[in-house]
Amino acid sequence: MRNYLSLNDIDDLSSWVEEARKLKQNPTSHKNLGEGKTLCLLFFNNSLRTRLSTQKAALNLGMEVIVMNFGNEGWALEYGEGTVMDQGTSEHIKEAAQVVSQYCDIIAIRAFAGLKDKEKDEAEEVLIGFKKYALVPVVNMESSVGHPLQALADAITLAEQHTKKNPKIVLSWAPHPKALPHAVANSFVGMMRLQDAEFVITHPKGYELNPAITEGLTIECDQKKACENADFIYVKNWSSYSDYGKVLHQDSDWMMTKEKLGDAKFMHCLPVRRNVVVEDAVLDGGQSLVIAQANNRTFAAQVVLKKLLE
Ligand code: CP
């Protein structure tokens, strides 16, 4: 594997999940693998879990880690070919990616969607720019359209539940005051295509995800009906895709409640807004897997870094 940019870079999900679970049992079992190697984390956006779990994963493998908050501390980057750089951008991705590559062995990047220009977001200029010009492997720590480290952690979490053969898994939209990207939902949908599960997506009309991503999948706009007899309910807000980046409404009826959850396990990538996205009783109850999901971010990142080092 040269890079970890999307779920397409996973060649055999079940063996990756198994390997992650083994690493979880003995996190420093490959401490020598990363000796003398450096991971560079570049953040164009905020983070808690991704930042700390990816560092922890690298430390478990014996790597050194350097971190830069590129969004507010780096030079504004130019991505266009042949641009006359007489406006706001100070450095071209061509130089930046090659320079960073000289300081490390793997580059990991977080760069969210701007949610203003769909075409620009889908081109993933930061991630793809680094992939094009970097001299070392690149890892996606959440890009405009995907969050494959989160989806891998979610697959590990599901596997740990020793659930029945073909569980019912629901991805439910929930209200949120801010316009959020589609990346987590997109990658969770992609991960569900790799699972043996009865998968249902539920959202209000107008919040359809990219149809190319959901093609052929079950979409039920009645949330209560969608959640009936579910084994797992993954809750996430996203903004409109068709009316790109817009918050169409914040219908509080879509908040996840204990009643709607029934006997299902609750999943969310975090951070989560309490009593807006999900009520306290769910997050504080025994059916919530959110802390386990966050823990598994370390072992998802560790299996990815291990494969890149090998
Ligand atoms: N789930 C997730 O990626 O969390 P952070 O945004 O805090 O990294």
Side-chain angles (χ1 to χ4, degrees), residues 77-79 91-98 126 129-130 133:
L77 292 184
E78 177 60 50
Y79 300 91
E91 176 157 30
H92 203 280
I93 182 71
K94 288 186 188 183
E95 285 79 52
Q98 291 180 75
V126 183
F130 271 93
Y133 296 111

Side-chain angles (χ1 to χ4, degrees), residues 46-51 110 142 147 150 269-271 297:
N46 296 348
S47 169
L48 188 162
R49 280 142 289 274
T50 305
R51 183 169 177 144
R110 164 163 284 200
E142 188 171 340
H147 196 352
Q150 179 67 52
C269 62
L270 301 182
R297 289 295 307 275

Side-chain angles (χ1 to χ4, degrees), residues 7 47 74 106 130 139 150 162 178 227 290-291 295:
L7 298 181
S47 169
I106 299 174
F130 271 93
V139 173
Q150 179 67 52
H162 302 291
K178 288 173 74 176
C227 293
V290 297
I291 305 303
N295 188 24

Side-chain angles (χ1 to χ4, degrees), residues 91-271:
E91 176 157 30
H92 203 280
I93 182 71
K94 288 186 188 183
E95 285 79 52
Q98 291 180 75
V99 168
V100 174
S101 300
Q102 296 177 106
Y103 306 144
C104 63
D105 301 277
I106 299 174
I107 302 172
I109 297 165
R110 164 163 284 200
F112 290 171
L115 293 177
K116 290 193 165 57
D117 181 338
K118 187 189 282 188
E119 222 170 275
K120 193 168 173 229
D121 285 346
E122 292 190 338
E124 300 200 287
E125 61 181 10
V126 183
L127 185 72
I128 299 306
F130 271 93
K131 183 212 162 197
K132 190 168 175 189
Y133 296 111
L135 310 170
V136 298
V138 173
V139 173
N140 181 355
M141 295 194 296
E142 188 171 340
S143 65
S144 307
V145 299
H147 196 352
L149 284 175
Q150 179 67 52
L152 183 54
D154 296 335
I156 297 164
T157 308
L158 286 166
E160 286 176 340
Q161 294 301 307
H162 302 291
T163 184
K164 61 193 189 204
K165 210 162 185 285
N166 198 37
K168 180 174 178 185
I169 304 178
V170 178
L171 171 63
S172 177
W173 181 92
H176 197 285
K178 288 173 74 176
L180 297 190
H182 309 94
V184 170
N186 288 345
S187 288
F188 189 72
V189 171
M191 183 52 80
M192 287 303 98
R193 289 189 184 275
L194 304 177
Q195 303 274 325
D196 291 324
E198 179 194 344
F199 180 51
V200 179
I201 303 170
T202 184
H203 55 68
K205 287 202 167 55
Y207 281 103
E208 292 76 15
L209 290 163
N210 180 349
I213 288 173
T214 58
E215 193 185 349
L217 297 175
T218 305
I219 298 169
E220 167 57 67
C221 288
D222 180 336
Q223 189 194 31
K224 279 192 184 140
K225 196 169 163 200
C227 293
E228 270 169 18
N229 301 317
D231 296 293
F232 298 92
I233 302 180
Y234 198 109
V235 175
K236 183 73 186 85
N237 169 268
W238 59 86
S239 53
S240 175
Y241 180 78
S242 52
D243 196 356
Y244 192 66
K246 297 283 184 311
V247 176
L248 305 180
H249 59 77
Q250 299 175 38
D251 190 347
S252 59
D253 284 351
W254 278 76
M255 179 175 76
M256 187 48 57
T257 61
K258 213 163 159 31
E259 190 194 340
K260 282 186 244 177
L261 189 66
D263 294 328
K265 296 277 171 58
F266 172 78
M267 299 180 78
H268 190 286
C269 62
L270 301 182

